[in-house]
Amino acid sequence: MSVALGDDLATVGVLWRRDLARFFRQRSRLVGALVQPIVFWLLIGGGMASTFSLGTAPGLGYMEYFYPGIVVMMVLFASIFGTITVIEDRHAGFLQSVVVGPGSRTALVLGKSLGVGSVGLMQAALFLVFTPWAGFAPGDVSWFSLALFLVVGAVGLSAFGFALAWWLDSSQAYHAVMSILLLPGWVLSGAMFPASADHAVLGAIMRANPMTYIVSGVRRALYGGDLPAGTSAVDSAPLELAVTLGFAVAAVSLATFVCHKRR
Amino acid sequence: MPVPATAPASDPAAADALLEVRGLALRFRERRVLEDLTFSVRRGEIFGLLGPNGSGKSTTFRIMTGLLVPDAGRMTFDGAPVAPGDRRLRRRLGVVFQNPSVDITLTCRENLLLTAALHRVPRSVARERAGTLLELADLADRADEVVKNLSGGMRRRLELARSLIHRPSLLIMDEPTTGLDEISFHRTWDRLQALRRRDGLTILLTTHRPEEAAQCDRLALIDRGVVIACDTPENLQRAVSGDVITVSGEDADGLAAVVRERFGLEARRVDDGVSFVCERGHELIPRLVEAFPAGRLRAVNLKRPSLADVFLKLTGHELGGEERA
């Protein structure tokens, strides 16, 4: 093993371990991270239940439809709140010593994305306890496929968050981007409502949105293979996987580029 | 091998140089930040970059640690050329930042062990060193407490311990004692001097405090991105002969006028009076006191020139910052 590779692996390991240690240290964060999506799911899901109906899949309730969206939301929120700390950490925190340490910038991006991604994954995993109540039979769920989409999606979203944080270098700017890009991106991913034939523009936006493919992949895994008709704007298993993987690779590359460019 | 503090400054290309920096230049938009900055740090010495805020010393720190890429310049570390930010250099640097760089949600020990892991120090060795360093930093009894609960001074001590866990060849510090009180300042320097004696550690630091500069073996005075002078503090202080006399009183302009007319000396305004340099100050003081009617003088002070006076003489302007008497 070359010395440089050893240094890089050490850097990845340190950042990964650090985010996990911080997460378990902060109990309130752990509880909040789990309670908030449950509240969201019950309130919005419960409120919409009576009005929601899908002509293509008559028996499908809103609590069931909304569930995969909430799982992806947990991963998204974890990556936003996990990477917004990069801004301060980089100028007045531990990240300074990583930047001047022996590892490369690529290792820095990977380590941070894996750390933040893992935190999101653990939160999502806890929420998956509710799978039977959402209407999915645990025996039918394709757990491998579900894990794959969540892991790759978490790393991709975290790396994207990292790129934004490093590039913007201001918490206010990051908050602005969060409310005009990331949250609407989640709303328009099929998480809250499916694409409708009456709104061509909305449908096009959804198909151009990488998060749509993550949500669709997660939904498909929960059903164990086939999606109920009309629940996804991009109903194609290979395409969901390809875009989710492609997004993660692109996000890590973008973050590495930004991190090299702006020291 | 520690270099005696009185060693004369000689050729910077001395054979025992650990770090050599030549012709460092950097522009930011149209502004010249560094120009042809050259210095060399010998093994085992404490080398200081002394200059006011904005002189380019923090920029130099950022280049040394790979946070900035210069427009021009060459660096040699341990006899081999290195690019700024080169891994080989980063591996052997210990860095103390002006801002905190410890994770306040983790314990002191966890911070040290994470930094050790970053530098691939084997686990058992890291545990042992962490114990020793925490002891040395007077933090042994707080080792497993989260940093958030520690005072500012304790955190600064932890920063230093953290930067040493991988036994760096060169410790590089940016304004290491900013915000520390007099007692903590002296304790920090006692520790650094002890480390240098014990391990032969080489230290490069930036500072704007004359009393901190006086702790260095050699100093480079930096002004507007250029090294104005480089020598031991003692030799530099010889550049200003005579004594510095400070006269305090209500009417500073009036005091300056009397000093000029009666003694032919050019005085400059300081905080609460005027200050000037003269030969044989002790003989001047009685005449000075007699020259003023009772009540016009509040105090007369005589001291040997400090590095702040040297800086003023060589560059024509003040070092500024939190200068102390």
Side-chain angles (χ1 to χ4, degrees):
Chain A
M1 189 170 70
S2 81
V3 180
L5 182 62
D7 284 339
D8 283 354
L9 289 177
T11 300
V12 171
V14 163
L15 286 171
W16 196 344
R17 253 164 62 197
R18 174 181 170 230
D19 267 332
L20 292 180
R22 280 165 63 103
F23 178 68
F24 286 115
R25 188 69 36 93
Q26 295 163 287
R27 296 253 167 74
S28 57
R29 203 173 140 199
L30 230 155
V31 174
L34 192 60
V35 172
Q36 186 231 21
I38 296 174
V39 171
F40 248 62
W41 184 48
L42 293 180
L43 289 187
I44 300 181
M48 294 284 286
S50 54
T51 52
F52 179 83
S53 78
L54 208 56
T56 47
L60 186 73
Y62 191 68
M63 294 294 274
E64 182 179 330
Y65 180 82
F66 196 30
Y67 187 75
I70 289 284
V71 174
V72 173
M73 182 197 80
M74 293 179 79
V75 173
L76 174 69
F77 278 15
S79 34
I80 291 173
F81 297 122
T83 52
I84 199 163
T85 58
V86 164
I87 296 162
E88 206 201 326
D89 206 17
R90 173 186 168 195
H91 298 295
F94 186 80
L95 222 47
Q96 288 182 101
S97 54
V98 179
V99 172
V100 303
S104 68
R105 296 294 168 113
T106 313
L108 172 82
V109 169
L110 273 178
K112 188 70 196 174
S113 304
L114 285 170
V116 171
S118 302
V119 168
L121 271 180
M122 282 187 304
Q123 296 172 6
L126 287 173
F127 188 69
L128 285 172
V129 170
F130 299 105
T131 306
W133 289 280
F136 302 96
D140 293 345
V141 174
S142 167
W143 293 102
F144 174 77
S145 176
L146 182 63
L148 183 70
F149 273 95
L150 287 177
V151 169
V152 178
V155 170
L157 289 170
S158 303
F160 188 64
F162 183 102
L164 280 176
W166 198 277
W167 179 60
L168 295 169
D169 208 12
S170 131
S171 304
Q172 289 94 327
Y174 192 110
H175 275 289
V177 170
M178 178 178 86
S179 40
I180 60 173
L181 184 73
L182 298 176
L183 296 185
W186 173 74
V187 172
L188 293 179
S189 68
M192 293 192 80
F193 50 83
S196 144
D198 304 335
H199 294 94
V201 178
L202 227 51
I205 293 175
M206 284 168 103
R207 276 189 297 280
N209 177 5
M211 258 188 274
T212 306
Y213 299 80
I214 303 174
V215 171
S216 192
V218 167
R219 190 186 305 280
R220 184 185 302 280
L222 284 167
Y223 283 111
D226 291 320
L227 288 175
T231 51
S232 171
V234 291
D235 194 350
S236 153
L239 195 62
E240 287 154 11
L241 186 61
V243 173
T244 303
L245 279 170
F247 170 68
V249 171
V252 170
S253 311
L254 177 71
T256 308
F257 172 76
V258 170
C259 192
H260 269 285
K261 197 86 186 158
R262 290 189 59 153
R263 293 182 171 233
Chain B
M1 185 190 74
V3 174
T6 49
S10 60
D11 179 15
D16 60 349
L18 177 65
L19 174 74
E20 280 188 78
V21 176
R22 295 198 157 270
L24 220 54
L26 184 81
R27 277 178 180 279
F28 184 70
R29 304 219 168 95
E30 288 308 298
R31 199 166 65 84
R32 184 189 80 187
V33 184
L34 295 178
E35 190 164 282
D36 196 24
L37 195 87
T38 299
F39 62 88
S40 97
V41 183
R42 296 175 193 150
R43 263 173 237 281
E45 84 173 334
I46 300 179
F47 188 92
L49 302 173
L50 176 68
N53 292 328
S55 58
K57 61 190 190 321
S58 284
T59 306
T60 310
F61 167 86
R62 290 174 64 77
I63 292 172
M64 298 292 108
T65 51
L67 293 167
L68 264 180
V69 183
D71 298 334
R74 279 176 305 155
M75 277 164 59
T76 312
F77 185 76
D78 210 0
V82 286
D86 193 303
R87 264 182 210 262
R88 277 176 302 162
L89 180 59
R90 283 188 279 150
R91 236 176 245 134
R92 296 182 56 190
L93 282 188
V95 183
V96 176
F97 296 89
Q98 205 173 332
N99 292 329
S101 72
V102 289
D103 188 323
I104 59 165
T105 60
L106 303 179
T107 68
C108 298
R109 199 190 303 278
E110 283 171 327
N111 268 293
L112 295 191
L113 292 180
L114 274 183
T115 309
L118 206 57
H119 288 270
R120 294 202 281 159
V121 179
R123 243 188 134 71
S124 55
V125 179
R127 291 208 154 272
E128 198 187 305
R129 273 189 210 165
T132 316
L133 284 168
L134 287 168
E135 194 98 31
L136 214 72
D138 273 340
L139 289 169
D141 53 334
R142 315 291 292 262
D144 297 304
E145 203 162 322
V146 288
V147 177
K148 213 183 292 183
N149 301 340
L150 266 50
S151 72
M154 290 175 177
R155 291 185 197 189
R156 284 308 285 174
R157 299 203 303 263
L158 183 63
E159 293 281 343
L160 181 60
R162 193 193 58 73
S163 71
L164 294 170
I165 189 95
H166 56 291
R167 297 259 161 96
S169 315
L170 175 66
L171 178 65
I172 169 163
M173 306 192 286
D174 193 13
E175 304 270 0
T177 58
T178 298
L180 288 192
D181 60 30
E182 206 63 35
I183 296 170
S184 311
F185 169 84
H186 287 294
R187 282 208 187 127
T188 305
W189 272 101
D190 288 347
R191 272 194 194 92
L192 287 170
Q193 297 284 8
L195 271 168
R196 193 268 295 268
R197 274 194 302 275
R198 201 191 64 185
D199 303 337
L201 185 67
T202 309
I203 304 177
L204 169 64
L205 66 122
T206 72
T207 186
H208 67 267
R209 294 173 70 165
E211 70 275 30
E212 185 151 73
Q215 297 279 346
C216 299
D217 298 325
R218 285 194 309 138
L219 278 175
L221 268 48
I222 300 193
D223 188 43
R224 296 178 195 176
V226 186
V227 175
I228 300 290
C230 181
D231 211 326
T232 63
E234 293 76 10
N235 285 347
L236 286 168
Q237 266 164 316
R238 275 186 208 122
V240 183
S241 65
D243 303 305
V244 178
I245 293 183
T246 309
V247 181
S248 336
E250 301 299 336
D251 169 27
D253 291 331
L255 294 178
V258 173
V259 171
R260 194 182 309 115
E261 284 155 22
R262 297 278 299 265
F263 304 100
L265 293 164
E266 221 28 72
R268 67 187 171 89
R269 290 282 303 261
V270 290
D271 277 349
D272 57 347
V274 294
S275 173
F276 54 90
V277 179
C278 67
E279 299 294 335
R280 309 177 72 80
H282 59 285
E283 291 174 6
L284 183 76
I285 285 185
R287 290 161 52 207
L288 191 66
V289 175
E290 279 167 17
F292 290 99
R296 280 197 69 191
L297 294 187
R298 210 178 308 126
V300 178
N301 175 300
L302 176 143
K303 65 180 174 77
R304 291 285 306 138
S306 76
L307 286 161
D309 301 308
V310 174
F311 194 88
L312 178 72
K313 163 136 194 213
L314 293 176
T315 66
H317 50 260
E318 310 251 357
L319 207 46
E322 36 178 39
E323 187 184 332
R324 282 148 208 250

